[in-house]
Amino acid sequence: MSSGLDLNSFQGLAPILVLSIGAVLLMLQLSVHRNTAVSYVITLLSFLLAAASTRFAAEVAPLQITPLLRADEFALFFSLLFCLGGAVTAVISYEYLARRRGQNEEFFLLLILSSIGAITLVYATHLAALLLGLELLGVALYALIAYPDEGALPLEAAIKYLVLSGAASSIFLFGFALLYAALGTLTYTDMRTATAALQPQSFILIYAGAAMVFTGLGFKLSAVPFHMWTPDVYEGAPAPVSGFLAAISKAAVFAAILRWWLEAGFYEYERLLLAVGVVAAASMLVGNLLALQQSNVKRIMAYSSIAHIGYLLIVLVAIGISPDRGLAVEAAAYYLVAYAATTLAAFTLLGLLSSADGQLERDQLEDVSGLFWQQPALALLFSVALLSLAGIPLTAGFIGKFYLFTVGVDAALWTLLGLLVLGSAISIYYYLRIIFTMTQRTEPVAGSSLQISLPGKLVFYALIGTMLYLGVMPDALMTYLGTIL
């Protein structure tokens, strides 16, 4: 283990460094020769090389890189996931932006910067690094959400996200201050050690500080009651950005919470477990019930994402109760992979449909009506993604929910498990409603004559294959996840 910067430290930071070099190359290209196709190629290559570099970084893992960051299997696994997710988003974004006016090169720069923020979150072992990752991720997302220069919805969505995110960051920082006042450190593992020497009167600061930190992070996750921004932002943002926000941004924040929760030992506080359990229950109920009332596919996906965060929060409660914490971590990691793949697949469909029209977002239910008869491959992609989100057998989502259910049974969380089953049952209705709409015979839809590039086709076939493979043969990923923490 090393705390200084040396060659091994740079090797351990390989994914971040590769993406940073990509960002610099993009800025140089923009200053010399503006060309969207060149920016897209640089971005895609940066993500693919960064994904490949995780194997190079694994040669020196685990490695503590200053007190702020650690390169280990946990960080590198999620870095690989985020790089692949960024590559998928880049491909769909290029299709989406091709028919829209304006200068689109900066879009890819912002995408790389937000991905660097996501990777920083999973490397973080200090609350200062956690804040740095959150802000890098968030600031780039503000601009991505508002990127289209036509229409009021993107700007409105970005302003809502900016204002509420600023408020959440303020609460988050105040929580830092309270934890530092009580513990005298912001390093995760040192926080746990310092707790043992505390006087009883100091525990009120820990409860208040941890609650405020969780509130700030709960906003990023859109857990209830911090969820009100979610449907408006998903609806207003470009479809590829909504997918990135729903899949990669939320996965990064939850993975960061998971590391902090485990290493700082906050799962040992019963009151915090109770609070997280209440938030989980509310998220499962509110997300699924409000999704029933929507006719906009993006808003359905937004409320669905709130419910899925509720399912994931069961893991944080189980860690404090279950005798097998390793199983809980495996369940969370597997669910995040399944959720990221299925959510990216769903928004891939919306992004490709919207790319057929350079002016409008095609995200209403009527926009997908008859899709099975006019674009069967796209309809198949969307159907598999929706069935996976619903937890239907032979899909990744089913194995993910089964994993969560096993963890809940192990920890005897019967109330939360009942809500998980109830929420999943409710969700089947609104997911099947979209599939039913796609089977209706109607006039040609917006994407009926859409020509998809080879990279676009490769992306959505790869996503279908991933969802089905993880649902049919999950053993290899399960075995690997047992080693990451």
mmCIF file of all heavy atoms in Angstrom, residues 184-232:
data_model
loop_
_atom_site.group_PDB
_atom_site.id
_atom_site.type_symbol
_atom_site.label_atom_id
_atom_site.label_comp_id
_atom_site.label_asym_id
_atom_site.label_seq_id
_atom_site.Cartn_x
_atom_site.Cartn_y
_atom_site.Cartn_z
ATOM 1 N N GLY A 184 -13.430 14.491 13.731
ATOM 2 C CA GLY A 184 -12.101 15.038 13.479
ATOM 3 C C GLY A 184 -11.436 14.506 12.236
ATOM 4 O O GLY A 184 -10.223 14.677 12.048
ATOM 5 N N THR A 185 -12.177 13.853 11.349
ATOM 6 C CA THR A 185 -11.614 13.313 10.117
ATOM 7 C C THR A 185 -12.715 13.179 9.078
ATOM 8 O O THR A 185 -13.905 13.081 9.424
ATOM 9 C CB THR A 185 -10.965 11.931 10.356
ATOM 10 O OG1 THR A 185 -10.415 11.454 9.127
ATOM 11 C CG2 THR A 185 -11.985 10.933 10.877
ATOM 12 N N LEU A 186 -12.327 13.178 7.807
ATOM 13 C CA LEU A 186 -13.279 12.970 6.718
ATOM 14 C C LEU A 186 -12.917 11.737 5.879
ATOM 15 O O LEU A 186 -13.566 11.460 4.872
ATOM 16 C CB LEU A 186 -13.321 14.208 5.805
ATOM 17 C CG LEU A 186 -13.873 15.489 6.441
ATOM 18 C CD1 LEU A 186 -13.799 16.648 5.448
ATOM 19 C CD2 LEU A 186 -15.310 15.294 6.902
ATOM 20 N N THR A 187 -11.887 11.002 6.308
ATOM 21 C CA THR A 187 -11.528 9.754 5.640
ATOM 22 C C THR A 187 -12.458 8.645 6.109
ATOM 23 O O THR A 187 -12.694 8.507 7.309
ATOM 24 C CB THR A 187 -10.067 9.378 5.939
ATOM 25 O OG1 THR A 187 -9.223 10.465 5.531
ATOM 26 C CG2 THR A 187 -9.656 8.114 5.221
ATOM 27 N N TYR A 188 -12.958 7.848 5.198
ATOM 28 C CA TYR A 188 -13.983 6.853 5.551
ATOM 29 C C TYR A 188 -13.539 5.937 6.688
ATOM 30 O O TYR A 188 -14.238 5.808 7.706
ATOM 31 C CB TYR A 188 -14.332 5.994 4.331
ATOM 32 C CG TYR A 188 -14.967 6.716 3.170
ATOM 33 C CD1 TYR A 188 -15.183 6.047 1.974
ATOM 34 C CD2 TYR A 188 -15.339 8.053 3.246
ATOM 35 C CE1 TYR A 188 -15.757 6.683 0.878
ATOM 36 C CE2 TYR A 188 -15.908 8.697 2.165
ATOM 37 C CZ TYR A 188 -16.120 8.011 0.982
ATOM 38 O OH TYR A 188 -16.684 8.649 -0.088
ATOM 39 N N THR A 189 -12.396 5.276 6.526
ATOM 40 C CA THR A 189 -11.982 4.293 7.522
ATOM 41 C C THR A 189 -11.638 4.955 8.859
ATOM 42 O O THR A 189 -11.909 4.390 9.921
ATOM 43 C CB THR A 189 -10.767 3.502 7.013
ATOM 44 O OG1 THR A 189 -9.750 4.414 6.568
ATOM 45 C CG2 THR A 189 -11.171 2.605 5.847
ATOM 46 N N ASP A 190 -11.068 6.163 8.815
ATOM 47 C CA ASP A 190 -10.747 6.873 10.057
ATOM 48 C C ASP A 190 -12.007 7.300 10.793
ATOM 49 O O ASP A 190 -12.015 7.383 12.031
ATOM 50 C CB ASP A 190 -9.873 8.097 9.769
ATOM 51 C CG ASP A 190 -8.473 7.716 9.320
ATOM 52 O OD1 ASP A 190 -8.098 6.541 9.498
ATOM 53 O OD2 ASP A 190 -7.756 8.588 8.789
ATOM 54 N N MET A 191 -13.063 7.578 10.048
ATOM 55 C CA MET A 191 -14.332 7.942 10.689
ATOM 56 C C MET A 191 -14.836 6.787 11.549
ATOM 57 O O MET A 191 -15.331 6.985 12.666
ATOM 58 C CB MET A 191 -15.373 8.309 9.630
ATOM 59 C CG MET A 191 -15.079 9.599 8.885
ATOM 60 S SD MET A 191 -16.147 9.865 7.449
ATOM 61 C CE MET A 191 -17.625 10.399 8.265
ATOM 62 N N ARG A 192 -14.698 5.587 11.040
ATOM 63 C CA ARG A 192 -15.150 4.417 11.806
ATOM 64 C C ARG A 192 -14.298 4.233 13.059
ATOM 65 O O ARG A 192 -14.814 3.931 14.146
ATOM 66 C CB ARG A 192 -15.080 3.181 10.930
ATOM 67 C CG ARG A 192 -15.626 1.942 11.583
ATOM 68 C CD ARG A 192 -15.692 0.803 10.601
ATOM 69 N NE ARG A 192 -16.399 -0.323 11.162
ATOM 70 C CZ ARG A 192 -16.724 -1.410 10.485
ATOM 71 N NH1 ARG A 192 -16.428 -1.496 9.195
ATOM 72 N NH2 ARG A 192 -17.354 -2.406 11.067
ATOM 73 N N THR A 193 -12.979 4.412 12.923
ATOM 74 C CA THR A 193 -12.085 4.254 14.069
ATOM 75 C C THR A 193 -12.362 5.308 15.132
ATOM 76 O O THR A 193 -12.371 5.011 16.338
ATOM 77 C CB THR A 193 -10.620 4.372 13.608
ATOM 78 O OG1 THR A 193 -10.375 3.401 12.582
ATOM 79 C CG2 THR A 193 -9.664 4.145 14.756
ATOM 80 N N ALA A 194 -12.619 6.547 14.699
ATOM 81 C CA ALA A 194 -12.843 7.637 15.646
ATOM 82 C C ALA A 194 -14.130 7.457 16.433
ATOM 83 O O ALA A 194 -14.255 7.956 17.559
ATOM 84 C CB ALA A 194 -12.872 8.967 14.904
ATOM 85 N N THR A 195 -15.089 6.751 15.873
ATOM 86 C CA THR A 195 -16.373 6.554 16.551
ATOM 87 C C THR A 195 -16.198 5.821 17.867
ATOM 88 O O THR A 195 -16.920 6.081 18.836
ATOM 89 C CB THR A 195 -17.336 5.759 15.639
ATOM 90 O OG1 THR A 195 -17.476 6.444 14.404
ATOM 91 C CG2 THR A 195 -18.694 5.614 16.287
ATOM 92 N N ALA A 196 -15.226 4.893 17.943
ATOM 93 C CA ALA A 196 -15.041 4.081 19.145
ATOM 94 C C ALA A 196 -14.670 4.921 20.362
ATOM 95 O O ALA A 196 -14.957 4.529 21.500
ATOM 96 C CB ALA A 196 -13.964 3.027 18.890
ATOM 97 N N ALA A 197 -14.028 6.073 20.155
ATOM 98 C CA ALA A 197 -13.572 6.909 21.270
ATOM 99 C C ALA A 197 -14.533 8.053 21.583
ATOM 100 O O ALA A 197 -14.211 8.939 22.378
ATOM 101 C CB ALA A 197 -12.193 7.472 20.950
ATOM 102 N N LEU A 198 -15.711 8.049 21.000
ATOM 103 C CA LEU A 198 -16.640 9.170 21.161
ATOM 104 C C LEU A 198 -17.344 9.159 22.514
ATOM 105 O O LEU A 198 -17.633 8.091 23.077
ATOM 106 C CB LEU A 198 -17.702 9.141 20.071
ATOM 107 C CG LEU A 198 -17.347 9.742 18.714
ATOM 108 C CD1 LEU A 198 -18.558 9.670 17.810
ATOM 109 C CD2 LEU A 198 -16.876 11.170 18.844
ATOM 110 N N GLN A 199 -17.648 10.351 22.986
ATOM 111 C CA GLN A 199 -18.520 10.505 24.146
ATOM 112 C C GLN A 199 -19.978 10.397 23.694
ATOM 113 O O GLN A 199 -20.301 10.758 22.561
ATOM 114 C CB GLN A 199 -18.271 11.862 24.808
ATOM 115 C CG GLN A 199 -16.862 12.050 25.341
ATOM 116 C CD GLN A 199 -16.525 11.055 26.435
ATOM 117 O OE1 GLN A 199 -17.358 10.753 27.289
ATOM 118 N NE2 GLN A 199 -15.304 10.517 26.389
ATOM 119 N N PRO A 200 -20.871 9.917 24.553
ATOM 120 C CA PRO A 200 -22.274 9.731 24.138
ATOM 121 C C PRO A 200 -22.924 10.992 23.579
ATOM 122 O O PRO A 200 -23.739 10.917 22.656
ATOM 123 C CB PRO A 200 -22.959 9.282 25.439
ATOM 124 C CG PRO A 200 -21.857 8.641 26.230
ATOM 125 C CD PRO A 200 -20.624 9.413 25.907
ATOM 126 N N GLN A 201 -22.573 12.170 24.133
ATOM 127 C CA GLN A 201 -23.213 13.402 23.674
ATOM 128 C C GLN A 201 -22.815 13.782 22.249
ATOM 129 O O GLN A 201 -23.461 14.617 21.607
ATOM 130 C CB GLN A 201 -22.894 14.573 24.617
ATOM 131 C CG GLN A 201 -21.425 14.905 24.742
ATOM 132 C CD GLN A 201 -20.755 14.171 25.885
ATOM 133 O OE1 GLN A 201 -21.201 13.100 26.285
ATOM 134 N NE2 GLN A 201 -19.681 14.759 26.433
ATOM 135 N N SER A 202 -21.762 13.164 21.726
ATOM 136 C CA SER A 202 -21.320 13.487 20.368
ATOM 137 C C SER A 202 -22.104 12.737 19.293
ATOM 138 O O SER A 202 -22.020 13.082 18.120
ATOM 139 C CB SER A 202 -19.820 13.168 20.212
ATOM 140 O OG SER A 202 -19.048 13.963 21.083
ATOM 141 N N PHE A 203 -22.858 11.727 19.708
ATOM 142 C CA PHE A 203 -23.557 10.929 18.716
ATOM 143 C C PHE A 203 -24.665 11.708 18.013
ATOM 144 O O PHE A 203 -25.043 11.383 16.895
ATOM 145 C CB PHE A 203 -24.118 9.649 19.350
ATOM 146 C CG PHE A 203 -23.093 8.561 19.481
ATOM 147 C CD1 PHE A 203 -22.337 8.432 20.644
ATOM 148 C CD2 PHE A 203 -22.860 7.687 18.438
ATOM 149 C CE1 PHE A 203 -21.383 7.443 20.756
ATOM 150 C CE2 PHE A 203 -21.903 6.683 18.543
ATOM 151 C CZ PHE A 203 -21.160 6.569 19.701
ATOM 152 N N ILE A 204 -25.182 12.733 18.653
ATOM 153 C CA ILE A 204 -26.212 13.554 18.002
ATOM 154 C C ILE A 204 -25.635 14.236 16.760
ATOM 155 O O ILE A 204 -26.311 14.393 15.730
ATOM 156 C CB ILE A 204 -26.791 14.602 18.982
ATOM 157 C CG1 ILE A 204 -27.952 15.343 18.336
ATOM 158 C CG2 ILE A 204 -25.723 15.570 19.458
ATOM 159 C CD1 ILE A 204 -29.128 14.482 17.996
ATOM 160 N N LEU A 205 -24.345 14.632 16.835
ATOM 161 C CA LEU A 205 -23.697 15.236 15.665
ATOM 162 C C LEU A 205 -23.526 14.218 14.541
ATOM 163 O O LEU A 205 -23.672 14.550 13.362
ATOM 164 C CB LEU A 205 -22.333 15.812 16.056
ATOM 165 C CG LEU A 205 -22.331 17.038 16.970
ATOM 166 C CD1 LEU A 205 -20.899 17.437 17.311
ATOM 167 C CD2 LEU A 205 -23.054 18.197 16.309
ATOM 168 N N ILE A 206 -23.210 12.979 14.926
ATOM 169 C CA ILE A 206 -23.053 11.944 13.898
ATOM 170 C C ILE A 206 -24.375 11.665 13.204
ATOM 171 O O ILE A 206 -24.447 11.584 11.975
ATOM 172 C CB ILE A 206 -22.487 10.652 14.533
ATOM 173 C CG1 ILE A 206 -21.053 10.881 14.970
ATOM 174 C CG2 ILE A 206 -22.553 9.495 13.534
ATOM 175 C CD1 ILE A 206 -20.388 9.665 15.559
ATOM 176 N N TYR A 207 -25.437 11.522 13.993
ATOM 177 C CA TYR A 207 -26.752 11.266 13.388
ATOM 178 C C TYR A 207 -27.164 12.411 12.463
ATOM 179 O O TYR A 207 -27.627 12.185 11.339
ATOM 180 C CB TYR A 207 -27.804 11.063 14.477
ATOM 181 C CG TYR A 207 -27.736 9.724 15.156
ATOM 182 C CD1 TYR A 207 -27.586 9.625 16.542
ATOM 183 C CD2 TYR A 207 -27.832 8.548 14.416
ATOM 184 C CE1 TYR A 207 -27.529 8.390 17.168
ATOM 185 C CE2 TYR A 207 -27.770 7.309 15.040
ATOM 186 C CZ TYR A 207 -27.618 7.231 16.415
ATOM 187 O OH TYR A 207 -27.561 6.004 17.034
ATOM 188 N N ALA A 208 -26.995 13.646 12.963
ATOM 189 C CA ALA A 208 -27.387 14.803 12.152
ATOM 190 C C ALA A 208 -26.523 14.918 10.905
ATOM 191 O O ALA A 208 -27.021 15.158 9.794
ATOM 192 C CB ALA A 208 -27.295 16.081 12.984
ATOM 193 N N GLY A 209 -25.212 14.743 11.061
ATOM 194 C CA GLY A 209 -24.303 14.857 9.913
ATOM 195 C C GLY A 209 -24.549 13.780 8.879
ATOM 196 O O GLY A 209 -24.627 14.062 7.675
ATOM 197 N N ALA A 210 -24.686 12.531 9.332
ATOM 198 C CA ALA A 210 -24.930 11.435 8.396
ATOM 199 C C ALA A 210 -26.265 11.622 7.681
ATOM 200 O O ALA A 210 -26.382 11.353 6.475
ATOM 201 C CB ALA A 210 -24.906 10.102 9.132
ATOM 202 N N ALA A 211 -27.271 12.098 8.406
ATOM 203 C CA ALA A 211 -28.580 12.321 7.789
ATOM 204 C C ALA A 211 -28.495 13.405 6.714
ATOM 205 O O ALA A 211 -29.113 13.285 5.647
ATOM 206 C CB ALA A 211 -29.601 12.712 8.856
ATOM 207 N N MET A 212 -27.716 14.453 6.969
ATOM 208 C CA MET A 212 -27.594 15.526 5.985
ATOM 209 C C MET A 212 -26.785 15.089 4.768
ATOM 210 O O MET A 212 -27.112 15.444 3.629
ATOM 211 C CB MET A 212 -26.973 16.762 6.638
ATOM 212 C CG MET A 212 -27.860 17.366 7.725
ATOM 213 S SD MET A 212 -27.170 18.852 8.476
ATOM 214 C CE MET A 212 -27.649 20.068 7.270
ATOM 215 N N VAL A 213 -25.741 14.290 4.991
ATOM 216 C CA VAL A 213 -24.985 13.754 3.859
ATOM 217 C C VAL A 213 -25.885 12.852 3.021
ATOM 218 O O VAL A 213 -25.901 12.934 1.786
ATOM 219 C CB VAL A 213 -23.737 12.983 4.349
ATOM 220 C CG1 VAL A 213 -23.094 12.222 3.196
ATOM 221 C CG2 VAL A 213 -22.728 13.947 4.961
ATOM 222 N N PHE A 214 -26.662 12.009 3.695
ATOM 223 C CA PHE A 214 -27.555 11.111 2.972
ATOM 224 C C PHE A 214 -28.650 11.888 2.245
ATOM 225 O O PHE A 214 -29.081 11.495 1.152
ATOM 226 C CB PHE A 214 -28.183 10.108 3.934
ATOM 227 C CG PHE A 214 -28.961 9.020 3.238
ATOM 228 C CD1 PHE A 214 -28.304 7.952 2.650
ATOM 229 C CD2 PHE A 214 -30.337 9.083 3.149
ATOM 230 C CE1 PHE A 214 -29.013 6.958 1.991
ATOM 231 C CE2 PHE A 214 -31.057 8.103 2.501
ATOM 232 C CZ PHE A 214 -30.391 7.028 1.914
ATOM 233 N N THR A 215 -29.082 13.008 2.818
ATOM 234 C CA THR A 215 -30.071 13.853 2.141
ATOM 235 C C THR A 215 -29.510 14.399 0.831
ATOM 236 O O THR A 215 -30.164 14.370 -0.212
ATOM 237 C CB THR A 215 -30.493 15.018 3.051
ATOM 238 O OG1 THR A 215 -31.153 14.491 4.209
ATOM 239 C CG2 THR A 215 -31.440 15.968 2.333
ATOM 240 N N GLY A 216 -28.275 14.918 0.871
ATOM 241 C CA GLY A 216 -27.660 15.439 -0.343
ATOM 242 C C GLY A 216 -27.476 14.367 -1.401
ATOM 243 O O GLY A 216 -27.762 14.584 -2.581
ATOM 244 N N LEU A 217 -27.046 13.183 -0.961
ATOM 245 C CA LEU A 217 -26.876 12.084 -1.910
ATOM 246 C C LEU A 217 -28.233 11.533 -2.361
ATOM 247 O O LEU A 217 -28.377 11.074 -3.494
ATOM 248 C CB LEU A 217 -26.038 10.972 -1.274
ATOM 249 C CG LEU A 217 -24.588 11.343 -0.961
ATOM 250 C CD1 LEU A 217 -23.903 10.227 -0.180
ATOM 251 C CD2 LEU A 217 -23.811 11.651 -2.227
ATOM 252 N N GLY A 218 -29.216 11.597 -1.472
ATOM 253 C CA GLY A 218 -30.563 11.141 -1.831
ATOM 254 C C GLY A 218 -31.167 11.973 -2.941
ATOM 255 O O GLY A 218 -31.927 11.457 -3.772
ATOM 256 N N PHE A 219 -30.820 13.257 -2.993
ATOM 257 C CA PHE A 219 -31.273 14.082 -4.115
ATOM 258 C C PHE A 219 -30.691 13.560 -5.420
ATOM 259 O O PHE A 219 -31.407 13.430 -6.423
ATOM 260 C CB PHE A 219 -30.859 15.541 -3.910
ATOM 261 C CG PHE A 219 -31.010 16.372 -5.158
ATOM 262 C CD1 PHE A 219 -32.224 16.937 -5.487
ATOM 263 C CD2 PHE A 219 -29.944 16.550 -6.026
ATOM 264 C CE1 PHE A 219 -32.367 17.666 -6.657
ATOM 265 C CE2 PHE A 219 -30.079 17.281 -7.189
ATOM 266 C CZ PHE A 219 -31.304 17.838 -7.506
ATOM 267 N N LYS A 220 -29.404 13.252 -5.428
ATOM 268 C CA LYS A 220 -28.773 12.748 -6.652
ATOM 269 C C LYS A 220 -29.392 11.416 -7.084
ATOM 270 O O LYS A 220 -29.470 11.120 -8.284
ATOM 271 C CB LYS A 220 -27.269 12.567 -6.435
ATOM 272 C CG LYS A 220 -26.533 13.823 -6.003
ATOM 273 C CD LYS A 220 -26.473 14.853 -7.104
ATOM 274 C CE LYS A 220 -25.612 16.049 -6.690
ATOM 275 N NZ LYS A 220 -25.565 17.086 -7.746
ATOM 276 N N LEU A 221 -29.833 10.630 -6.095
ATOM 277 C CA LEU A 221 -30.465 9.354 -6.415
ATOM 278 C C LEU A 221 -31.945 9.506 -6.756
ATOM 279 O O LEU A 221 -32.558 8.579 -7.259
ATOM 280 C CB LEU A 221 -30.334 8.397 -5.226
ATOM 281 C CG LEU A 221 -28.944 7.869 -4.897
ATOM 282 C CD1 LEU A 221 -28.992 7.059 -3.606
ATOM 283 C CD2 LEU A 221 -28.403 7.017 -6.032
ATOM 284 N N SER A 222 -32.517 10.662 -6.450
ATOM 285 C CA SER A 222 -33.956 10.934 -6.571
ATOM 286 C C SER A 222 -34.782 9.966 -5.736
ATOM 287 O O SER A 222 -35.816 9.460 -6.168
ATOM 288 C CB SER A 222 -34.428 10.950 -8.036
ATOM 289 O OG SER A 222 -34.298 9.697 -8.661
ATOM 290 N N ALA A 223 -34.304 9.707 -4.512
ATOM 291 C CA ALA A 223 -35.083 8.917 -3.565
ATOM 292 C C ALA A 223 -36.154 9.816 -2.943
ATOM 293 O O ALA A 223 -35.953 11.021 -2.757
ATOM 294 C CB ALA A 223 -34.168 8.363 -2.474
ATOM 295 N N VAL A 224 -37.297 9.254 -2.618
ATOM 296 C CA VAL A 224 -38.370 10.009 -1.968
ATOM 297 C C VAL A 224 -37.910 10.361 -0.559
ATOM 298 O O VAL A 224 -37.357 9.498 0.142
ATOM 299 C CB VAL A 224 -39.654 9.149 -1.924
ATOM 300 C CG1 VAL A 224 -40.759 9.839 -1.123
ATOM 301 C CG2 VAL A 224 -40.142 8.859 -3.344
ATOM 302 N N PRO A 225 -38.079 11.582 -0.083
ATOM 303 C CA PRO A 225 -38.847 12.711 -0.626
ATOM 304 C C PRO A 225 -38.004 13.733 -1.404
ATOM 305 O O PRO A 225 -38.374 14.905 -1.464
ATOM 306 C CB PRO A 225 -39.399 13.355 0.643
ATOM 307 C CG PRO A 225 -38.291 13.170 1.646
ATOM 308 C CD PRO A 225 -37.646 11.847 1.299
ATOM 309 N N PHE A 226 -36.897 13.318 -1.972
ATOM 310 C CA PHE A 226 -36.005 14.240 -2.691
ATOM 311 C C PHE A 226 -36.124 14.043 -4.204
ATOM 312 O O PHE A 226 -35.173 14.289 -4.953
ATOM 313 C CB PHE A 226 -34.547 14.003 -2.255
ATOM 314 C CG PHE A 226 -34.380 13.748 -0.790
ATOM 315 C CD1 PHE A 226 -33.992 12.503 -0.322
ATOM 316 C CD2 PHE A 226 -34.645 14.746 0.137
ATOM 317 C CE1 PHE A 226 -33.864 12.252 1.027
ATOM 318 C CE2 PHE A 226 -34.514 14.507 1.497
ATOM 319 C CZ PHE A 226 -34.121 13.253 1.944
ATOM 320 N N HIS A 227 -37.290 13.629 -4.669
ATOM 321 C CA HIS A 227 -37.463 13.129 -6.031
ATOM 322 C C HIS A 227 -38.171 14.076 -6.975
ATOM 323 O O HIS A 227 -38.282 13.770 -8.166
ATOM 324 C CB HIS A 227 -38.299 11.844 -5.965
ATOM 325 C CG HIS A 227 -39.711 12.105 -5.530
ATOM 326 N ND1 HIS A 227 -40.031 12.480 -4.242
ATOM 327 C CD2 HIS A 227 -40.885 12.079 -6.216
ATOM 328 C CE1 HIS A 227 -41.332 12.650 -4.141
ATOM 329 N NE2 HIS A 227 -41.882 12.428 -5.321
ATOM 330 N N MET A 228 -38.665 15.209 -6.512
ATOM 331 C CA MET A 228 -39.618 15.986 -7.313
ATOM 332 C C MET A 228 -39.040 16.516 -8.615
ATOM 333 O O MET A 228 -39.762 16.774 -9.578
ATOM 334 C CB MET A 228 -40.163 17.156 -6.479
ATOM 335 C CG MET A 228 -41.006 16.717 -5.284
ATOM 336 S SD MET A 228 -42.393 15.665 -5.754
ATOM 337 C CE MET A 228 -43.374 16.801 -6.697
ATOM 338 N N TRP A 229 -37.726 16.658 -8.702
ATOM 339 C CA TRP A 229 -37.097 17.158 -9.927
ATOM 340 C C TRP A 229 -37.070 16.120 -11.040
ATOM 341 O O TRP A 229 -36.971 16.465 -12.221
ATOM 342 C CB TRP A 229 -35.651 17.573 -9.623
ATOM 343 C CG TRP A 229 -34.793 16.448 -9.124
ATOM 344 C CD1 TRP A 229 -34.653 16.034 -7.836
ATOM 345 C CD2 TRP A 229 -33.969 15.566 -9.900
ATOM 346 N NE1 TRP A 229 -33.791 14.964 -7.754
ATOM 347 C CE2 TRP A 229 -33.366 14.658 -9.001
ATOM 348 C CE3 TRP A 229 -33.676 15.460 -11.261
ATOM 349 C CZ2 TRP A 229 -32.488 13.658 -9.427
ATOM 350 C CZ3 TRP A 229 -32.813 14.463 -11.690
ATOM 351 C CH2 TRP A 229 -32.234 13.576 -10.775
ATOM 352 N N THR A 230 -37.156 14.861 -10.688
ATOM 353 C CA THR A 230 -36.818 13.781 -11.613
ATOM 354 C C THR A 230 -37.666 13.740 -12.887
ATOM 355 O O THR A 230 -37.114 13.743 -13.995
ATOM 356 C CB THR A 230 -36.873 12.423 -10.886
ATOM 357 O OG1 THR A 230 -36.180 12.539 -9.642
ATOM 358 C CG2 THR A 230 -36.240 11.332 -11.725
ATOM 359 N N PRO A 231 -39.007 13.684 -12.800
ATOM 360 C CA PRO A 231 -39.778 13.566 -14.046
ATOM 361 C C PRO A 231 -39.613 14.768 -14.969
ATOM 362 O O PRO A 231 -39.541 14.613 -16.200
ATOM 363 C CB PRO A 231 -41.225 13.418 -13.559
ATOM 364 C CG PRO A 231 -41.221 13.921 -12.156
ATOM 365 C CD PRO A 231 -39.872 13.626 -11.613
ATOM 366 N N ASP A 232 -39.532 15.975 -14.412
ATOM 367 C CA ASP A 232 -39.382 17.168 -15.250
ATOM 368 C C ASP A 232 -38.025 17.191 -15.954
ATOM 369 O O ASP A 232 -37.924 17.565 -17.125
ATOM 370 C CB ASP A 232 -39.539 18.434 -14.404
ATOM 371 C CG ASP A 232 -40.958 18.613 -13.898
ATOM 372 O OD1 ASP A 232 -41.884 18.039 -14.509
ATOM 373 O OD2 ASP A 232 -41.154 19.307 -12.882
#
